[in-house]
């Protein structure tokens, strides 16, 4: 009885498992950021669906998820043979790209689900081989390495624009190429010398700049001193000119005053020197003479002593 009950439970459990397996085989899931494409009997169907759960015929229909978000394709061990015969390799090249939703169906239909293997992985090998074959190891390793990622991105995008619509290269990252150990040591020594040369050059530039700054400072100070002296000279000249003009003006005032006094005195004399005034002065002179000599034997009139004649306004009265 117990064995019969256990067998029924096992049969029921097996039936449930078979049901869930069959039910799950009829369902397909499209993840977020992907586009679902269906293949039936190896032929790509025209249906392209977005994220969600969908029913399909198991074993006859196969659904694939195509990523339409940013994705990074990593290409490893990319060989690089330079034109000087030295073989090196890029250990890792990363290509960030995206496929637009509108072009997903056409891209997969034309180039398959692994379209990126053809147009990214294989093209990276091709473009790096083309680049290295025209360069020396020094150019690849030192001189042109900084621009190699940009050149590779432009080359990939140019090919995609011509043949594959809807794939966009967003960026390329790559490691330094791996070179033989002996060459690596030589390049490290050269890099140290180059660094020392750059440091010396930078030091020379700094010293030159400091000397130029000092020269400009001295020139500026000299020009400022010359300007101050010029201003001072102009100020002194202006002061001397003002003093000279002031002195000349004062002298002119004194001369004008003296001339006015002389003119006034002359005018007064014209008024004062009348015939009556001259007689009065003559009388005063005669009154103050001490001796006077008259006679026929004296040829000339002589005055022995002359007393000073008082001025007209002294108040002295003339003798009657």
């Amino acid at each position: 009885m117990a064995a019969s009950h256990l067998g029924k439970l096992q049969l029921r459990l097996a039936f449930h498992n078979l049901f869930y397996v069959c039910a799950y085989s009829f369902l397909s899931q499209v993840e977020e950021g992907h586009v679902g494409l269906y293949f039936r009997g190896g032929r790509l169907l025209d249906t392209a669906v977005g994220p969600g759960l969908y029913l399909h015929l198991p074993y006859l229909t196969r659904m694939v998820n195509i990523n339409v978000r940013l994705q990074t394709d990593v290409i490893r061990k990319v060989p690089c043979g330079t034109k000087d015969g030295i073989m090196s390799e890029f250990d890792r090249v990363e290509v960030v790209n995206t496929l637009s939703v509108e072009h997903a169906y056409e891209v997969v239909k034309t180039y398959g689900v692994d379209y990126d293997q053809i147009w990214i992985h294989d093209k990276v090998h091709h473009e790096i081989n083309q680049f290295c074959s025209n360069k020396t190891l020094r150019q690849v390793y030192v001189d042109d390495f900084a621009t190699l990622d940009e050149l590779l991105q432009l080359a990939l995008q140019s090919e995609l624009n011509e043949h594959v619509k809807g794939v966009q290269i967003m960026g390329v990252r790559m490691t330094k190429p791996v070179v033989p150990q002996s060459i690596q040591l030589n390049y490290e020594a050269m890099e140290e010398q180059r660094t020392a040369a750059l440091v010396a050059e930078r030091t020379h530039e700094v010293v030159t700049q400091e000397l130029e700054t000092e020269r400009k400072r001295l020139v500026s100070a000299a020009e400022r001193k010359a300007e101050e002296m010029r201003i001072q000279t102009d100020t002194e000249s202006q002061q001397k000119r003002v003093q000279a003009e002031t002195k000349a003006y004062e002298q002119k005032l004194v001369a004008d005053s003296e001339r006015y006094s002389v003119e006034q005195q002359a005018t007064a004399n014209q008024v004062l020197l009348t015939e009556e005034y001259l007689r009065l002065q003559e009388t005063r002179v005669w009154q103050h003479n001490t001796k006077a000599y008259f006679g026929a034997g004296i040829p000339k009139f002589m005055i022995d002593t002359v007393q000073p004649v008082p001025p007209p306004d002294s108040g002295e009265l003339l003798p009657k």
Side-chain angles (χ1 to χ4, degrees), residues 18-251:
L18 180 60
F19 174 79
Y20 285 122
V21 170
C22 292
Y24 184 75
S25 64
F26 282 89
L27 293 176
S28 59
Q29 180 180 356
V30 180
E31 298 178 358
E32 188 67 38
H34 292 71
V35 171
L37 299 178
Y38 289 93
F39 289 85
R40 181 174 297 168
R43 182 176 66 87
L44 179 63
L45 301 181
D46 295 338
T47 304
V49 296
L53 290 174
Y54 300 92
L55 292 173
H56 68 279
L57 295 175
Y59 307 111
L60 294 178
T61 304
R62 177 174 63 93
M63 192 272 294
V64 294
N65 280 287
I66 304 300
N67 189 4
V68 291
R69 292 182 296 188
L70 283 177
Q71 61 180 358
T72 302
D73 288 84
V74 180
I75 304 95
R76 293 187 176 275
K77 306 296 182 182
V78 182
C80 174
T82 60
K83 70 178 182 179
D84 49 5
I86 300 175
M87 180 61 67
S88 61
E89 67 176 12
F90 292 91
D91 183 65
R92 183 185 179 93
V93 179
E94 298 179 357
V95 180
V96 182
N97 62 94
T98 181
L99 173 63
S100 65
V101 177
E102 296 79 7
H103 296 86
Y105 176 81
E106 290 296 332
V107 171
V108 173
K109 183 177 181 179
T110 306
Y111 302 105
V113 177
D114 297 327
Y115 67 92
D116 54 347
Q117 180 66 39
I118 302 173
W119 291 105
I120 295 179
H121 289 250
D122 295 345
K123 287 298 293 183
V124 165
H125 281 267
H126 174 73
E127 293 297 335
I128 288 182
N129 181 61
Q130 292 291 324
F131 176 81
C132 294
S133 63
N134 295 314
K135 303 287 183 179
T136 63
L137 181 60
R138 175 178 176 80
Q139 290 174 325
V140 174
Y141 192 80
V142 179
D143 299 337
D144 299 335
F145 177 76
T147 60
L148 179 55
D149 52 353
E150 298 178 0
L151 294 175
L152 183 57
Q153 179 179 351
L154 292 175
L156 292 175
Q157 190 63 62
S158 177
E159 290 289 333
L160 290 171
N161 291 340
E162 184 177 354
H163 301 286
V164 186
K165 303 298 183 181
V167 179
Q168 185 73 27
I169 304 298
M170 309 304 295
V172 175
R173 299 185 297 266
M174 57 200 319
T175 59
K176 271 277 193 181
V178 180
V179 299
Q181 184 66 26
S182 58
I183 299 178
Q184 177 72 25
L185 294 176
N186 291 335
Y187 275 115
E188 289 178 356
M190 291 173 58
E191 187 65 21
E192 291 179 357
Q193 295 176 1
R194 188 177 71 87
T195 302
L198 289 176
V199 171
E201 182 180 358
R202 180 57 181 168
T203 302
H204 176 71
E205 291 178 356
V206 171
V207 172
T208 303
Q209 186 175 4
E210 291 177 352
L211 292 176
E212 181 66 18
T213 302
E214 181 66 17
R215 186 189 68 81
K216 291 181 179 180
R217 187 187 66 80
L218 293 176
V219 171
S220 177
E223 291 177 351
R224 186 169 61 253
K225 184 65 176 178
E227 182 66 17
E228 292 176 356
M229 294 180 64
R230 186 186 65 80
I231 294 175
Q232 183 178 359
T233 303
D234 292 344
T235 303
E236 292 177 354
S237 300
Q238 185 176 4
Q239 290 177 351
K240 290 180 179 179
R241 185 172 63 256
V242 171
Q243 291 176 357
E245 292 176 355
T246 303
K247 185 176 181 180
Y249 181 73
E250 292 176 351
Q251 292 176 352

